Amino acid sequence: MPDKLIKYLKSLYSSTSIQKTLKTLSSSYLYFLTLQKIIQMQEKKDQSGPYNLLIETSSSCNARCLMCPHSKMTRKKQIMDKLTFQKIITRLKSENPPINKVILSGFGEPFLDPNFLDRLERIKSLGYPVRFYTNASLLTKKNAQKLIDLRLDELNISFNGTNPVQYKKIMGLNYAQTVKNINQLLKLKKEANSILPKVQISSIIIKENEKSIQKHLKTWQQKADSATVSLAHEWGGIIKSNSKKKFEKAKRTYPCRSLWHTLVIDSQGSFVICCRDYESKFKLANIKTHSFKKAANHPTRLTWQKLHLKYQKQSLPLICQNCNFPYQDGIEWLLPRSID
């Protein structure tokens, strides 16, 4: 219950004017001193984990979302090969890195990977909590039943649009088919009397849907375990939000906690610096040749962390300088890891 409440408050924070109040508070010197002490203690703990491990088994996608950088992405769009995924499994078993949860997602649609459910099952067999993100367009009845049988912990469905025309314009997919797939999953879950997977409907506010977003939110809150709406990210400046509702820029940008508690492996097996690095421009290592520990302690990662701690944002690459990550006011350092 506390985690569910905090998740709700995070959603409220990222989508309403409460941000303005918190941005003002985060600019105060008292807040800075207090959070500075907390960050100094917490970052030492986070340095050694547990980590959120993002594994991108597919960098290909069948959607064309207006607010996503995928259409501008120039790196190879592919399905992770079997040898690379096997190396991840082998290292997880032999190195036993401290893992908070595994997120089987990246910059593609997981269900385009023909081996995705088998890979999900292998990760679940290791005992890790697992979440993944999908547009649900390929969530067939067979796939839905398998997710229930495997007791997937959380399924986050990106669903943007309140009618067929709007949905097609925003995501480029078939509205009726996606609604059918989601409702089918929820029905199967109820018939199985299962609380898993937790189903979250996630939406992004952009100009095309901002007038109808509240109705959309209320509809899905009555059906799914949760429904959230957040403001559009700018992905380091590559995407410009066309909505009137945008993230309030903080006067002081606090260290990004994701640099400590998240490890990202792309579809080619490369450890990349950040979940916002859609081009995999900043590679740290590769799972085929380097351990989790080597990646976590890579000089680039440690340097970026130090620059964040010194508030030297101007010395960081543009991916950090132009990032409009919603929790720039440092609130993420105050939250429990269980809701990452």
Side-chain angles (χ1 to χ4, degrees):
M1 182 61 75
D3 286 355
K4 190 172 183 179
L5 175 61
I6 294 174
K7 279 188 176 182
Y8 169 74
L9 291 175
K10 282 180 71 176
S11 172
L12 187 69
Y13 165 83
S14 66
S15 61
T16 71
S17 59
I18 193 175
Q19 267 198 67
K20 293 183 179 180
T21 302
L22 289 173
K23 296 298 181 189
T24 301
L25 175 63
S26 69
S27 299
S28 73
Y29 191 58
L30 179 59
Y31 180 92
F32 171 73
L33 290 177
T34 303
L35 195 59
Q36 185 83 326
K37 292 291 185 183
I38 293 173
I39 292 175
Q40 287 173 356
M41 292 186 293
Q42 192 60 51
E43 68 94 7
K44 290 181 174 60
K45 297 178 182 178
D46 284 1
Q47 188 64 53
S48 57
Y51 306 111
N52 288 340
L53 176 61
L54 276 71
I55 304 174
E56 180 189 66
T57 65
S58 169
S59 55
S60 297
C61 192
N62 60 334
R64 297 295 178 268
C65 300
L66 296 179
M67 59 288 184
C68 178
H70 191 272
S71 62
K72 300 179 184 295
M73 194 170 84
T74 59
R75 69 179 169 98
K76 187 177 180 180
K77 299 174 177 66
Q78 64 175 56
I79 304 301
M80 180 180 284
D81 64 55
K82 293 181 179 180
L83 290 177
T84 301
F85 186 79
Q86 179 56 49
K87 194 64 178 180
I88 294 173
I89 296 296
T90 300
R91 287 195 183 278
L92 284 172
K93 289 180 177 179
S94 62
E95 297 172 17
N96 193 28
I99 301 297
N100 180 47
K101 67 180 62 173
V102 174
I103 303 171
L104 280 176
S105 295
F107 286 96
E109 168 53 45
F111 281 118
L112 286 177
D113 174 5
N115 300 307
F116 179 70
L117 290 175
D118 291 335
R119 291 173 168 182
L120 170 60
E121 185 170 8
R122 294 186 72 185
I123 294 291
K124 281 291 293 181
S125 71
L126 299 179
Y128 301 120
V130 180
R131 174 207 301 170
F132 74 89
Y133 295 79
T134 176
N135 58 45
S137 63
L138 302 175
L139 185 58
T140 63
K141 184 176 182 179
K142 181 180 179 181
N143 288 344
Q145 187 61 58
K146 185 69 172 179
L147 297 182
I148 295 169
D149 294 343
L150 289 176
R151 294 187 63 77
L152 171 71
D153 297 273
E154 183 178 338
L155 181 65
N156 193 305
I157 299 175
S158 300
F159 192 83
N160 297 278
T162 56
N163 58 63
V165 175
Q166 190 183 91
Y167 182 76
K168 183 75 173 180
K169 184 176 182 180
I170 296 173
M171 298 191 69
L173 298 171
N174 185 296
Y175 179 85
Q177 184 62 58
T178 301
V179 171
K180 176 185 175 183
N181 292 347
I182 298 172
N183 286 333
Q184 186 170 244
L185 168 65
L186 296 174
K187 180 183 178 183
L188 289 171
K189 183 181 163 184
K190 185 175 182 180
E191 289 174 352
N193 194 29
S194 176
I195 62 172
L196 297 178
K198 296 289 185 183
V199 178
Q200 177 172 313
I201 306 295
S202 298
S203 302
I204 304 293
I205 300 177
I206 57 176
K207 183 179 179 180
E208 286 74 10
N209 66 5
E210 60 186 3
K211 293 182 179 179
S212 56
I213 196 70
Q214 289 304 320
K215 179 181 178 181
H216 173 78
L217 192 60
K218 290 178 181 177
T219 297
W220 288 105
Q221 282 176 337
Q222 295 172 6
K223 294 183 176 183
D225 293 290
S226 63
T228 64
V229 57
S230 61
L231 304 179
H233 295 286
E234 294 185 351
W235 300 100
I238 196 69
I239 301 290
K240 294 298 181 183
S241 174
N242 62 3
S243 173
K244 294 178 181 178
K245 299 180 179 180
K246 299 180 180 181
F247 285 118
E248 291 289 326
K249 293 287 185 180
K251 291 182 180 179
R252 179 185 287 111
T253 300
Y254 288 85
C256 177
R257 196 177 182 188
S258 293
L259 269 176
W260 278 262
H261 68 46
T262 303
L263 293 176
V264 182
I265 302 177
D266 71 7
S267 56
Q268 292 186 310
S270 295
F271 285 98
V272 296
I273 191 72
C274 170
C275 61
R276 296 291 189 273
D277 186 7
Y278 61 91
E279 289 287 18
S280 293
K281 184 177 180 180
F282 299 96
K283 295 181 175 68
L284 305 177
N286 194 289
I287 191 68
K288 288 171 275 192
T289 53
H290 294 80
S291 67
F292 283 99
K293 188 174 182 179
K294 283 279 188 181
N297 293 300
H298 191 277
T300 298
R301 188 168 185 263
L302 299 179
T303 297
W304 284 33
Q305 289 173 354
K306 289 178 182 177
L307 291 172
H308 271 251
L309 290 172
K310 292 178 180 179
Y311 298 89
Q312 295 180 354
K313 187 176 180 180
Q314 70 282 358
S315 299
L316 287 158
L318 292 178
I319 192 174
C320 278
Q321 289 188 38
N322 295 333
C323 184
N324 69 331
F325 190 68
Y327 310 116
Q328 288 182 332
D329 47 35
I331 195 172
E332 59 177 336
W333 290 96
L334 306 175
L335 301 176
R337 293 297 312 284
S338 57
I339 64 165
D340 287 346

